[in-house]
Amino acid sequence: MAESKEEDVSLGANKFTERQPLGTAAQTDKDYKEPLPAPLFEPGELKSWSFYRAGIAEFMATLLFLYITVLTVMGVGRAPNKCASVGTQGIAWAFGGMIFALVYCTAGISGGHINPAVTLGLFLARKLSLTRALFYMVMQCLGAICGAGVVKGFMKGPYERLKGGANIVSHGYTKGDALGAEIVGTFILVYTVFSATDAKRNARDSHVPILAPLPIGFAVFLVHLATIPITGTGINPARSLGAAIIYNQDQAWDDHWIFWVGPFIGAVLAAAYHQIVIRAIPFKNRG
């Protein structure tokens, strides 16, 4: 009888649909093995083409991300009124939609981070080495600078007049308001990344097809809806840096620290919450 049950599980949900409940009861923890943490330093990576290919993928994805999103922000900015263009909701869709598409395209190559805050959170959870994390962050920032630069290159006048999509604390909000918005917004994003890419969850619900880029892109969309009026929504230091460098006006640099400190704090909190509270990893080896 025991052998029959094991056979049913091994054959999966397709044949025995009535015996396989959906959700968390579908499989047990014995179907999952906790992956070993990534080494802090992995010198062998520097000799591997896959390492550099992943960095190039992060560079290109962030370049394309800035290109589309900065153009969308400028399109709304130059419209006589928001109803004449895609409006704030359209900007949010541009950011969320591009993240969905780019994570889908690059997840199999680099993991599809496209954001130093996401990279930091995953590094703290030991999902990648320090070597790879630093390389990703550099390539993401370079990609963002190039993406904003491409936009300015063929429409310099409108770019400078419309502030080039640079993140600025909006009138009526304090630096504390902006910092809080960036912390919470990045927490939501990085927490969603952890949940959508959780290997244990994927093993447990393997018969329920969940496309990881979808909730990640949707989280970006929702955070932008909430915080565009406050900071223009950063939650991505590379995106903020690229726009600030290419726009290069004082107002883009006045509060630029917020768009690094806020996302990094949010990423650290999300990593700690997922690893300690949700997964309880520090407690698993205790009796």
Side-chain angles (χ1 to χ4, degrees), residues 143-161:
I145 294 168
C146 291
V150 169
V151 176
K152 184 176 180 179
F154 65 80
M155 50 176 64
K156 184 176 180 180
Y159 186 92
E160 293 178 347
R161 186 171 65 254

Side-chain angles (χ1 to χ4, degrees), residues 2-14 16 19-20 26-28 30-31 206:
E3 291 180 0
S4 175
K5 288 184 178 179
E6 290 178 2
E7 182 181 2
D8 288 356
V9 173
S10 66
L11 287 172
N14 292 332
F16 296 100
R19 300 185 189 181
Q20 282 283 73
Q27 293 180 324
T28 63
K30 70 181 181 180
D31 298 304
S206 59

